Amino acid sequence: MLDTLSRVVIFFGFIAAGIVLARSGQLTYQGLDGLSAYFYWLGFPCWLAVSFSQLPHFDSQNAVLLAGYAAAMIATGAIVLGTAHLLKAPREQAATAGMAGFINNSAFLGIPIAFSLFGQAARDIGPLVVAVDFLLLFSLGCAAMAKASGHTFKEALIRTAKNPTVIGALVGVALLLMGQRFPAPIETALDLLGKSGPPVALVALGGMLGMMEWRSLASFDPLSGLAVAAKVLLAPALVALVLWLLKADPTTFRICVFLAATPTAVSVFIQARIYQVWYEGAAKTVAQSTVFSLVTLSVLALLLTHT
């Protein structure tokens, strides 16, 4: 529990830095746009390209289990989207809330904790789950957001295909399938850019939160509350159910359920900011789901490591 809490506290530290910079006037809206652009165009795509090119060789025996994981996460997003429509939320807000309900912070929060909890097994399975999160699920979320923001289905697909996050993931997977890696100097440069991405995104999120009224940030609203509940409670419950039905081995079960329980990824806020749709709601969802995950991840870690 202490290890889990310490890693989450570090995660909050970057957010707190952004809040302080915004509250002190050192980070403006123009600066926030610059940080978001850096993460969107350079930091995260480089991290994905390098990380995915180094993935362990895919074991076909895990294909069904990973497909089940993906299906459970998509079902979570669909439930949020359908419920948001029942709440009569505008379609762009509903689509963003749906994305916030099933896109994990698995890469930058879940994986480090999973490595410490589950050891080598997490190093073999965890990156494959991240690949599903950011190659399949993230692409679906971006396509839905683009479509809901007024683009045609064709335009949404084109925008998604041009998304640097998707391109970075595809480049990494292509290299993996070809059994190749970037030349050493290029890999080093891309790795440096990639490792700078997460702190920049978290500071940007903190800056957005710092510019929001505290009363608004801490307040409850049905849409963000729905997304938070789906992310930290419904998603891991559905993943657990599906993998139990598929008779997943205990190690894969634990790792997939744990990663599914991580809070909403910062990249959802970045995408919402880029598309200019419900980005304050997305920031609130990321912040609130992270706060709740302090408790939920700690409890889940204890349950999964003692069963």
Side-chain angles (χ1 to χ4, degrees), residues 184-243:
I186 295 177
E187 183 172 275
T188 299
L190 294 177
D191 189 49
L192 287 172
L193 286 170
K195 288 178 178 177
S196 70
V200 167
L202 298 178
V203 170
L205 173 61
M208 182 71 247
L209 299 179
M211 294 173 191
M212 294 172 61
E213 292 187 7
W214 290 111
R215 184 177 300 177
S216 171
L217 185 61
S219 65
F220 171 82
D221 70 79
L223 196 56
S224 62
L226 171 65
V228 170
K231 184 74 256 338
V232 300
L233 298 175
L234 180 60
L238 288 181
V239 168
L241 175 61
V242 170
L243 294 188

Side-chain angles (χ1 to χ4, degrees), residues 54-68 121 123-129 131-132 176-177 249 251-252 256:
Q54 298 173 356
L55 282 173
H57 291 294
F58 182 72
D59 184 351
S60 60
Q61 293 180 349
N62 288 326
V64 173
L65 299 180
L66 290 172
R123 299 181 184 276
D124 295 334
I125 299 171
L128 297 176
V129 176
V132 173
L176 173 68
L177 294 176
D249 62 275
T251 299
T252 301
C256 288

